[in-house]
Amino acid sequence: MERGVALFQTDYSVEPAHLARLAEERDFESLFFVEHTHIPVSRETPRPGGGELPRQYWHLYDPFVALSFAAAATERIKIGTGVCLAIEHDPIVLAKATASLDRLSGGRFLFGVGAGWNREEMRNHGTDPRRRFSMLRERVEAIKTIWTEEEAEYHGEFVDFGPIWSWPKPVQKPHPPVIVGGTGEKVLDRVLAYGDEWIPNRIESVEQLHERVERLRDRAGRHVKVSFFGAKPEAPAVERLAWAGVDRCVFYVSPDADPGEAERQLDSFAALA
């Protein structure tokens, strides 16, 4: 099983480039940064995990800027969004940013995408929360078209543009993997419709996850790669996820950890290999 790490890359956390170097030195396969453009002060949407929303959510560096620093400081480790809230981006601009990052990193970019959970946040971007999954699909499809076609065009309800030229194109062929996040009832449909891989992050049980992974792969007729975000850094938990069919375990480094503590956490994660 591949091992990755993730971080809420805040302005008080270990610096992205430093964490990337530490992770690569310990042979982690991948590094993921998260995204929230902002958090509205007046908030009604409950946090998915329950409890109060910690300050890390509104202290985040832009993930693409942070990933560019991580890529420049490393040579091998894959760098990804876990996840990019594509409904909060213009798809033409996002296609260029992601293709640029893939090209400048030498083909190491992993495009994790999601529709998000904070309804107030997406409304500030002009997105109707009730239509966010339809919008996500169109934006991802449009981005893939721009990545792969010399004269790209897309015509949908939310995204509509005639033939355009847009370079650079990604190094990875046919394009960087699109990793669809979420655990909702219809998430497998979304992975099959416009994704390459799946990122669940909350599960009722390992048995349920195993059943969903098997169902996904049966429907796809291929081995769909599955990453689990927020894996417990405990050997029995990792072994259970492997039994469920997970291909990549991603462990969170604490956003409050200083560089020394971040290094100690990475050492403990690496010892599980």
Side-chain angles (χ1 to χ4, degrees):
M1 182 189 293
E2 294 170 339
R3 310 299 170 92
V5 293
L7 175 71
F8 274 75
Q9 68 287 354
T10 72
D11 54 4
Y12 55 83
S13 303
V14 57
E15 289 294 328
H18 186 66
L19 181 66
R21 285 191 296 268
L22 292 175
E24 184 169 85
E25 288 168 1
R26 287 156 180 79
D27 291 325
F28 283 96
E29 178 261 352
S30 50
L31 171 65
F32 293 86
F33 292 150
V34 306
E35 178 172 51
H36 284 278
T37 59
H38 69 290
I39 295 296
V41 174
S42 177
R43 195 170 56 83
E44 299 176 3
T45 310
R47 182 187 180 195
E52 292 298 317
L53 197 67
R55 65 174 182 150
Q56 65 205 43
Y57 280 83
W58 58 89
H59 277 264
L60 290 167
Y61 285 121
D62 176 275
F64 296 104
V65 174
L67 287 170
S68 70
F69 276 74
T74 55
E75 296 179 353
R76 303 181 310 278
I77 194 168
K78 295 177 182 177
I79 52 169
T81 47
V83 295
C84 168
L85 302 179
I87 63 168
E88 299 179 355
H89 293 268
D90 177 277
I92 297 174
V93 176
L94 188 54
K96 182 174 285 289
T98 49
S100 299
L101 187 54
D102 189 64
R103 196 160 194 90
L104 291 171
S105 68
R108 291 187 281 147
F109 178 59
L110 305 172
F111 191 35
V113 300
W117 57 268
N118 191 314
R119 289 169 171 78
E120 293 76 49
E121 179 182 352
M122 59 187 78
R123 285 194 189 104
N124 285 350
H125 287 278
T127 296
D128 180 349
R130 296 170 298 180
R131 304 302 309 280
R132 66 189 186 275
F133 291 110
S134 297
M135 180 180 287
L136 176 64
R137 175 173 182 160
E138 288 195 9
R139 292 194 175 178
V140 171
E141 288 176 345
I143 288 166
K144 290 166 71 175
T145 299
I146 295 169
W147 279 346
T148 58
E149 297 184 10
E150 291 196 7
E151 292 188 1
E153 65 179 294
Y154 188 90
H155 302 285
E157 179 182 357
F158 303 100
V159 181
D160 189 9
F161 55 85
I164 64 171
W165 292 327
S166 178
W167 265 261
K169 303 298 185 185
V171 170
Q172 297 181 77
K173 302 302 179 188
H175 52 69
V178 175
I179 312 177
V180 179
T183 54
E185 179 182 350
K186 297 182 179 180
V187 69
L188 301 188
D189 296 336
R190 298 181 191 114
V191 176
L192 293 169
Y194 54 86
D196 302 296
E197 304 178 15
W198 179 34
I199 310 176
N201 62 343
R202 291 183 181 87
I203 54 173
E204 292 184 10
S205 68
V206 176
E207 289 75 17
Q208 183 204 55
L209 177 62
H210 175 75
E211 188 275 329
R212 296 190 85 182
V213 170
E214 289 293 306
R215 180 151 41 97
L216 173 63
R217 290 170 179 164
D218 285 344
R219 290 178 60 188
R222 64 181 176 87
H223 183 94
V224 179
K225 190 169 185 175
V226 176
S227 303
F228 187 80
F229 265 52
K232 289 184 179 180
E234 301 169 358
V238 172
E239 291 170 2
R240 291 282 285 163
L241 289 172
W243 169 81
V246 170
D247 301 285
R248 176 193 289 127
C249 271
V250 181
F251 306 103
Y252 274 109
V253 174
S254 170
D256 296 308
D258 61 25
E261 174 57 25
E263 188 168 0
R264 286 188 288 273
Q265 290 183 19
L266 289 177
D267 285 338
S268 69
F269 302 158
L272 296 170

